[in-house]
Amino acid sequence: MTAKGIYWGVASNLLGNALMLGATLWLTRLISPAEFGEFRVGANFSTLVVPFLALGGERLISRLIQKGDNVGVARAIRMVMTIALTGSAVLLLSYPLLSRHAFAGAVGFPVFALGVLLVPLTICYNLANTIWRHVGSASRAQIHLNFYQRLLRAPLLIAFAWLHPTAVSASAAMFIAQGGSTFQLWRYIREALRTEGALGNSIVRSRSFIGDMLVIGLPIALLAAVDRLDVLIVNAVMGVETAGEYDLIYMLALTAMFPAMAMSKTSEPLLLSLRDDPGRQRRVRSLQIRTLLLSCTALVGIAVISPFIPMVLGVAGSDFPSAVLVLSAGLALSSVCGPVLEYMQINGRANVTLLLAMTLMGFFIWMKWLAASADSLVLFAFLGGLFYLVLRLVLAAYVFFVDRVLLTNPYALAIAVLFYGLLATWILSGEHMHKVAMLKLSLRDIAAERASYCIDPADRNNRIFYSSV
């Protein structure tokens, strides 16, 4: 892992997301709003299912490769793909139930089926890309993951929608594009499976793999579902329009997390048994500082452009700039803790991560519900960013006190936490003052309206007549 790998990962992620954003905007001009909505619901469902069926298979394979357990890698691949295919079959059979209760009859079976079939293809691709990062070039694997497969997906999406403007054609384009990307990396899966020797104690190993995958994969799946759960909470309490606005807020704020996401992928080969190698620890800390600087650069860019977004998007309200800034700050500054989630999972501490993630999620869901009930989108966004920061801070402290491994620079950590506290205080106090000012203005308008009736009856009738006209 090198700083160059992180830079390539961030740049390819930005380009890939810009490419898919352009393709999505073009797609809205080719198909009707109803067809587009059906396509997006089906695609989002498949994206939500992937981490729950993959169950941390990528991290398990990463750990086995670093241990030199080639037979274990082959067995893990077979186990992950068996779970993915079995789960996909169960989902296909469950369509009548899901259509009624999850989709409200808005997603047809062809779109649903293509989305479900996309799941094992995506999982297989992710496994192959993980192997490539360890046995080949981590930078090229990142670029292929973030950019090249999107470069294949975007034109297919537009071409299929242009030829047949329906949700089914768009879903078919996504399925074919993912199949093409998986085929390009299939050789890594094939070569890994060839190393499997005699099965030996296969039942015991299979049970062991399933246990490891559950412990590793559930925190990943829970974290992957956080943003979708947040949108559901906003939708249930604050309404569908505000839910759409928060979805845009999260999409924009997530760009501040791209550097940390790139580091999490490229740092895996250095994290196993890191406590025994002080030189590797210094290297990880150095790369973490560069990652933090990139995240702060992204945060500055978001702070500059966010005030202008409400002028362009009709769904963005007056709270949009403050909400996106405070959420972006939480996501960006959480990278100061270093790759703590990856360290815990690769070094066999995923059960601690699972327990902590579930505990914090329960607490923050309750807090977010209260914030939504108070009609405070800014406070809701603050809690969304605070969740990631608190989770990583607690894990970083655990790694240091238990393993004596410092994944971050303590001075950078202190500065980042202090800056986040000051920024959040400034934004939240500004929102409070704005609400107080709006309340005073409303009370003044009510008082003025009441005073207008304390006049001569004849004049009052004239005022009522002219106001009605």
Side-chain angles (χ1 to χ4, degrees):
M1 180 186 68
T2 62
K4 182 179 179 181
I6 295 177
Y7 297 149
W8 277 113
V10 175
S12 60
N13 213 337
L14 289 173
L15 290 175
N17 276 276
L19 183 64
M20 284 307 300
L21 178 61
T24 303
L25 293 176
W26 196 351
L27 182 66
T28 59
R29 298 178 177 272
L30 296 176
I31 64 178
S32 67
E35 294 285 346
F36 180 77
E38 181 182 357
F39 163 64
R40 289 308 307 159
V41 170
N44 284 327
F45 178 76
S46 64
T47 303
L48 179 63
V49 167
V50 166
F52 285 97
L53 291 184
L55 283 180
E58 300 171 47
R59 299 283 163 76
L60 176 61
I61 288 175
S62 174
R63 187 169 69 187
L64 293 171
I65 291 175
Q66 294 180 68
K67 289 183 176 180
D69 187 358
N70 294 330
V71 175
V73 171
R75 288 173 172 168
I77 291 174
R78 293 183 186 276
M79 182 60 62
V80 172
M81 292 311 302
T82 299
I83 294 174
L85 292 171
T86 303
S88 299
V90 171
L91 287 174
L92 288 174
L93 295 175
S94 304
Y95 171 73
L97 184 64
L98 291 172
S99 176
R100 186 181 304 111
H101 297 288
F103 304 135
V107 179
F109 181 75
V111 173
F112 173 80
L114 286 169
V116 170
L117 293 175
L118 187 67
V119 171
L121 280 178
T122 303
I123 293 175
C124 185
Y125 173 85
N126 291 338
L127 296 179
N129 193 274
T130 299
I131 297 172
W132 187 10
R133 287 200 305 271
H134 287 79
V135 304
S137 171
S139 298
R140 291 182 179 180
Q142 278 285 92
I143 294 172
H144 197 280
L145 174 68
N146 296 330
F147 181 71
Y148 280 127
Q149 68 166 343
R150 291 168 179 170
L151 187 62
L152 176 63
R153 186 183 303 165
L156 282 176
L157 189 63
I158 297 303
F160 273 59
W162 180 70
L163 293 172
H164 189 60
T166 63
V168 177
S169 63
S171 300
M174 296 287 285
F175 176 79
I176 293 173
Q178 189 62 63
S181 298
T182 305
F183 179 75
Q184 291 175 352
L185 304 189
W186 175 249
R187 65 182 183 278
Y188 294 103
I189 297 290
R190 185 176 64 249
E191 292 171 0
L193 292 176
R194 285 176 180 173
T195 61
E196 186 175 14
L199 291 178
N201 196 13
S202 60
I203 296 178
V204 176
R205 292 298 300 272
S206 297
R207 290 177 179 174
S208 176
F209 281 152
I210 292 175
D212 289 343
M213 288 167 59
L214 285 171
V215 174
I216 294 174
L218 283 179
I220 298 174
L222 290 173
L223 292 176
V226 166
D227 60 311
R228 293 170 178 82
L229 186 59
D230 284 352
V231 173
L232 293 177
I233 293 174
V234 174
N235 179 59
V237 180
M238 304 178 72
V240 66
E241 293 184 1
T242 308
E245 180 181 357
Y246 185 78
D247 191 37
L248 289 173
I249 289 171
Y250 190 87
M251 288 176 61
L252 182 58
L254 192 61
T255 58
M257 211 175 183
F258 284 168
M261 294 165 63
M263 184 182 184
S264 69
K265 294 291 185 181
T266 55
S267 65
E268 291 176 359
L270 293 179
L271 299 180
L272 183 65
S273 301
L274 187 61
R275 61 182 300 176
D276 302 324
D277 193 335
R280 270 193 294 156
Q281 293 184 37
R282 289 192 295 270
R283 187 178 175 189
V284 170
R285 286 196 295 269
S286 175
L287 291 168
Q288 179 271 327
I289 291 296
R290 300 185 187 189
T291 301
L292 178 62
L293 292 175
L294 288 174
S295 298
C296 291
T297 302
L299 180 61
V300 172
I302 291 172
V304 171
I305 67 172
S306 59
F308 301 98
I309 292 180
M311 304 177 185
V312 180
L313 298 176
V315 296
S318 58
D319 291 337
F320 188 96
S322 298
V324 73
L325 181 58
V326 75
L327 178 57
S328 301
L331 298 181
L333 297 176
S334 66
S335 65
V336 72
C337 302
V340 287
L341 290 170
E342 293 73 24
Y343 177 89
M344 296 288 287
Q345 291 162 351
I346 289 176
N347 288 277
R349 306 284 178 77
N351 55 339
V352 178
T353 306
L354 174 60
L355 180 62
L356 178 62
M358 292 181 65
T359 303
L360 286 178
M361 277 193 68
F363 174 73
F364 273 89
I365 286 174
W366 174 64
M367 293 294 292
K368 290 174 183 177
W369 190 278
L370 293 179
S373 301
D375 197 30
S376 178
L377 188 63
V378 177
L379 180 59
F380 191 96
F382 164 70
L383 292 172
L386 185 64
F387 168 78
Y388 286 97
L389 183 60
V390 171
L391 176 64
R392 290 179 179 273
L393 279 174
V394 175
L395 289 177
Y398 176 88
V399 170
F400 176 73
F401 287 112
V402 174
D403 290 347
R404 292 299 173 183
V405 172
L406 190 60
L407 296 174
T408 182
N409 184 292
Y411 297 106
L413 179 64
I415 294 173
V417 172
L418 178 61
F419 176 76
Y420 181 66
L422 294 174
L423 179 64
T425 302
W426 175 63
I427 292 175
L428 292 175
S429 62
E431 186 210 13
H432 176 71
M433 295 299 295
H434 176 70
K435 287 185 177 293
V436 170
M438 294 299 295
L439 179 61
K440 289 182 178 179
L441 184 61
S442 299
L443 293 175
R444 187 181 304 168
D445 291 340
I446 294 173
E449 183 178 356
R450 289 180 177 178
S452 66
Y453 287 93
C454 299
I455 55 178
D456 183 75
D459 189 31
R460 181 183 62 186
N461 291 334
N462 291 336
R463 285 177 180 266
I464 295 174
F465 172 76
Y466 285 114
S467 63
S468 64
V469 175

